[in-house]
Amino acid sequence: MTVWHEKNKERSENNRLKLRYGITSEDKKRMHLEQDGKCPCCGYEEPMGASGSEKLHVDHDHETGDVRGLLCTRCNKALGIVGE
């Protein structure tokens, strides 16, 4: 991570989400609230702003690019393994 990214984490995250998924940080926060901070597949709960590898990831359709919601690391990887 560059010095700029370190100093501008929120802006950097917003740019990453916009480029990769077409959503903003506010969109991700809204999804997090709508899902009660839980993975819809397994119920794993992750508080907003928590750090570490066990955070909720943006789930999207790889063919259409449509964002479906947020998943925990395990469920996100499992869907990738089985080809969605």
Side-chain angles (χ1 to χ4, degrees):
M1 186 176 286
T2 67
V3 173
W4 183 91
H5 287 97
E6 190 64 35
K7 289 182 179 180
N8 299 281
K9 286 182 182 181
E10 189 171 323
R11 190 169 167 194
S12 177
E13 173 70 357
N14 195 57
N15 290 342
R16 185 187 70 79
L17 290 169
K18 197 71 162 163
L19 286 170
R20 187 174 280 178
Y21 306 111
I23 65 171
T24 65
S25 296
E26 289 301 316
D27 294 328
K28 186 175 179 184
K29 288 176 187 174
R30 180 185 42 76
M31 286 188 285
H32 189 273
L33 288 172
E34 288 173 356
Q35 293 179 202
D36 293 323
K38 297 177 183 173
C39 174
C41 295
C42 70
Y44 173 80
E45 189 171 354
E46 182 66 35
M48 193 66 187
S51 61
S53 61
E54 290 296 322
K55 63 180 182 175
L56 298 179
H57 301 276
V58 177
D59 174 42
H60 68 289
D61 184 302
H62 286 245
E63 289 185 22
T64 66
D66 292 341
V67 173
R68 298 183 283 223
L70 304 176
L71 297 176
C72 71
T73 300
R74 285 182 175 183
C75 291
N76 192 39
K77 286 182 180 179
L79 282 178
I81 291 169
V82 299
E84 301 187 27

